[in-house]
């Protein structure tokens, strides 16, 4: 039923309903709005709808709200043993994972945690490092609790894909299966706190990387591998995969952009040093906007590392923007935009970002495009 909201306050009645009723509203993303509820136990409602709603969009949306709530509680350091939220999250995740049907794409989306950028939008002051850790902790807790079920579903999808033959298929079911399997691989690789776990996770990702017929599966496996570190065998698999991906690209610009991007987005403590080293790679040039975006701009959205304490990420960005401004003012102005939200990042980070912006503003010469963005950002 369509409800037309035309007044500040309206009441809608639905006669003939029996028992407890939970409305599923804004089905099919019928209105581009954010809904604020008034239920006494809103998280319980989210959990029920995330697991049972027949509308795929609402199932996803309620799951995102539920996951975000747990991540924010973790971020604030609340005692989760006294909260019902973990129980609701686990229940929703388990039911979603166990869904039968062929709508694999919706199932995949419903299992993914909200991105760090999405979560940051809900915060007045953002601590990217703490937010990254909180999201990672929630992800690890889910992965550990349901590791057996996740692996069983992963193996089931792998068998189904292998039995369908070597031909790369682009029908909705096949695309959905690949999406879901890659989400599950990401969860399985999150269990990596011991040498045995890291070896198992890297071996699984490497197996998918080597056996994949298409870019989607191979890139998903590479994205897991580039963030793995530790034992010699783990590092070896990562480096072999990176070299293989590069060699197989055979100079293809789009594939090489993905190769640079995967490394810029890696969750490694020395990722900034790796990005700096990649700027000296023969295939990298600041004069190519797409190549520049694939490495430099990608690093700027690797929030926890770009905003790491000390401000080295900001300094690197300003140095790079200064070079790009001489080649492509439109590109430099977009890159400089990564620093203009300094007021949202706390006193210390904000001061560091603002200081680097000021360096750009004082630069001589400076393009009109970059100066417009920087001067507006400093206000």
């Amino acid at each position: 039923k369509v409800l037309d909201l035309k007044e500040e306050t309206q009441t809608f009645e639905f006669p003939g309903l029996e028992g407890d009723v939970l409305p599923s509203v804004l089905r099919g993303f019928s209105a581009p709005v954010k809904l604020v509820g008034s239920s006494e136990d809103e998280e319980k409602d989210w959990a029920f709808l995330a697991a049972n709603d027949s509308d795929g969009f609402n199932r996803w949306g309620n799951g995102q709200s539920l996951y975000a709530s747990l991540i924010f509680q973790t971020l604030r350091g609340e005692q989760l043993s006294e909260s019902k939220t973990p129980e609701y999250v686990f229940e929703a995740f388990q039911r979603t994972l166990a869904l039968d049907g062929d709508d694999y794409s919706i199932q995949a989306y419903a299992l993914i945690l909200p991105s760090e950028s999405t979560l940051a939008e809900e915060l007045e002051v953002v601590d990217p490092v703490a937010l990254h850790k909180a999201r990672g902790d929630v992800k690890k807790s889910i992965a550990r609790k349901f590791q057996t079920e996740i692996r069983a579903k992963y193996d089931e999808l792998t068998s189904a894909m292998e039995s369908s033959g070597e031909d790369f298929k682009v029908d909705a079911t096949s695309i959905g299966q690949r999406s879901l399997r890659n989400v599950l691989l990401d969860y399985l690789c999150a269990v990596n706190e011991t040498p045995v776990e890291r070896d198992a996770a890297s071996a699984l990702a490497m197996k998918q990387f080597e056996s994949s017929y298409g870019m989607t599966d191979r890139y998903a496996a590479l994205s897991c591998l580039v963030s793995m570190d530790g034992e010699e065998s783990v590092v070896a698999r990562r480096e072999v995969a990176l070299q293989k991906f590069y060699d197989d690209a055979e100079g293809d610009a789009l594939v090489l952009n993905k190769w640079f991007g995967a490394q810029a987005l890696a969750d490694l403590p020395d990722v900034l040093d790796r990005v700096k080293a990649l700027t000296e790679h023969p295939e990298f040039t600041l004069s190519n906007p797409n190549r520049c975006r694939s490495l430099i701009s990608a690093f700027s959205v690797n929030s926890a590392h770009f905003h790491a304490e000390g401000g080295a990420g900001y300094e690197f960005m300003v140095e790079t923007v200064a070079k790009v401004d001489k080649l492509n003012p439109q590109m430099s102005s977009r890159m400089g935009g990564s620093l203009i939200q300094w007021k949202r990042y706390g006193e210390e980070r904000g001061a560091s970002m603002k200081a680097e912006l000021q360096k750009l503003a004082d630069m001589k010469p400076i393009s009109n495009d970059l100066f417009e963005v920087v001067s507006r950002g400093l206000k």
Side-chain angles (χ1 to χ4, degrees):
K1 182 176 181 178
V2 177
L3 306 180
D4 294 319
L5 303 177
K6 300 180 179 179
E7 308 293 338
E8 184 174 342
T9 301
Q10 287 180 252
T11 300
F12 299 93
E13 296 184 0
F14 301 86
L17 298 178
E18 298 180 359
D20 293 333
V21 176
L22 186 60
S24 171
V25 299
L26 304 181
R27 295 170 69 81
F29 195 44
S30 53
V33 299
K34 287 186 177 181
L35 189 67
V36 179
S38 59
S39 170
E40 293 182 358
D41 195 349
E42 196 168 29
E43 291 184 351
K44 184 177 180 180
D45 295 345
W46 290 339
F48 180 84
L49 292 171
N52 298 286
D53 202 317
S54 59
D55 182 86
F57 176 80
N58 274 6
R59 193 161 64 241
W60 169 82
N62 284 284
Q64 293 293 286
S65 298
L66 190 60
Y67 294 143
S69 179
L70 181 56
I71 292 170
F72 288 141
Q73 289 178 42
T74 304
L75 178 65
R76 293 190 294 265
E78 297 180 10
Q79 292 295 324
L80 298 180
S81 59
E82 301 175 2
S83 170
K84 292 184 178 180
T85 311
E87 176 186 340
Y88 293 149
V89 166
F90 292 152
E91 178 186 1
F93 186 92
Q94 185 177 38
R95 290 193 181 186
T96 302
L97 182 62
L99 285 174
D100 289 326
D102 57 2
D103 200 348
Y104 297 106
S105 292
I106 290 295
Q107 189 177 7
Y109 280 117
L111 292 173
I112 300 174
L113 300 182
S115 67
E116 290 173 32
S117 60
T118 298
L119 293 165
E121 292 175 1
E122 304 297 323
L123 300 172
E124 291 186 9
V125 178
V126 184
D127 182 341
V129 176
L131 182 59
H132 177 73
K133 184 179 184 305
R135 184 182 183 275
D137 287 347
V138 170
K139 184 177 177 181
K140 287 179 185 293
S141 68
I142 293 173
R144 283 194 177 281
K145 186 171 182 63
F146 299 107
Q147 185 175 10
T148 301
E149 293 92 329
I150 293 172
R151 182 57 191 265
K153 189 69 174 181
Y154 178 90
D155 290 341
E156 175 188 322
L157 289 166
T158 299
S159 297
M161 293 165 65
E162 290 176 348
S163 64
S164 65
E166 296 186 2
D167 294 334
F168 186 78
K169 299 181 179 181
V170 293
D171 58 279
T173 297
S174 298
I175 292 172
Q177 287 178 332
R178 289 194 290 271
S179 297
L180 179 56
R181 190 174 76 137
N182 291 334
V183 170
L184 299 178
L185 175 66
D186 191 45
Y187 272 106
L188 292 170
C189 289
V191 181
N192 58 11
E193 294 179 337
T194 69
V196 172
E197 290 173 345
R198 286 190 289 272
D199 184 69
S202 64
L204 180 63
M206 192 66 185
K207 182 178 180 181
Q208 175 170 314
F209 179 86
E210 293 175 332
S211 62
S212 297
Y213 299 116
M215 176 63 73
T216 303
D217 289 346
R218 175 165 284 201
Y219 187 75
L222 180 68
S223 296
C224 291
L225 286 164
V226 293
S227 294
M228 294 185 182
D229 205 4
E231 292 68 37
E232 184 176 343
S233 61
V234 175
V235 173
R237 291 186 184 108
R238 182 189 71 203
E239 297 305 315
V240 167
L242 280 168
Q243 188 62 50
K244 176 68 172 172
F245 196 92
Y246 176 81
D247 292 341
D248 289 349
E250 296 181 340
D252 184 279
L254 294 178
V255 180
L256 287 176
N257 286 343
K258 297 181 79 68
W259 182 77
F260 279 104
Q263 295 175 83
L265 294 170
D267 187 12
L268 292 173
D270 62 343
V271 65
L272 175 57
D273 292 333
R274 292 173 180 273
V275 169
K276 289 180 178 179
L278 284 168
T279 62
E280 303 297 326
H281 193 279
E283 291 288 352
F284 183 80
T285 172
L286 291 174
S287 62
N288 183 324
N290 288 333
R291 189 57 46 83
C292 194
R293 275 190 287 268
S294 71
L295 182 64
I296 310 302
S297 297
F299 172 68
S300 72
V301 299
N302 190 348
S303 195
H305 298 285
F306 177 63
H307 293 283
E309 294 183 5
Y314 309 147
E315 294 174 4
F316 167 71
M317 179 59 66
V318 166
E319 292 170 1
T320 306
V321 169
K323 296 175 183 177
V324 174
D325 197 46
K326 296 180 175 63
L327 304 170
N328 188 332
Q330 289 184 331
M331 185 68 195
S332 66
S333 64
R334 285 193 290 270
M335 293 169 63
S338 62
L339 296 169
I340 64 175
Q341 297 287 329
W342 58 271
K343 294 179 182 179
R344 298 194 61 220
Y345 288 94
E347 185 175 348
E348 186 174 342
R349 280 195 180 89
S352 181
M353 294 172 75
K354 187 178 181 181
E356 294 301 324
L357 271 179
Q358 190 63 55
K359 289 181 182 179
L360 289 176
D362 295 340
M363 187 173 66
K364 304 294 182 183
I366 183 174
S367 69
N368 292 333
D369 298 64
L370 179 58
F371 182 74
E372 180 182 355
V373 169
V374 170
S375 59
R376 186 172 67 246
L378 285 169
K379 292 181 180 179

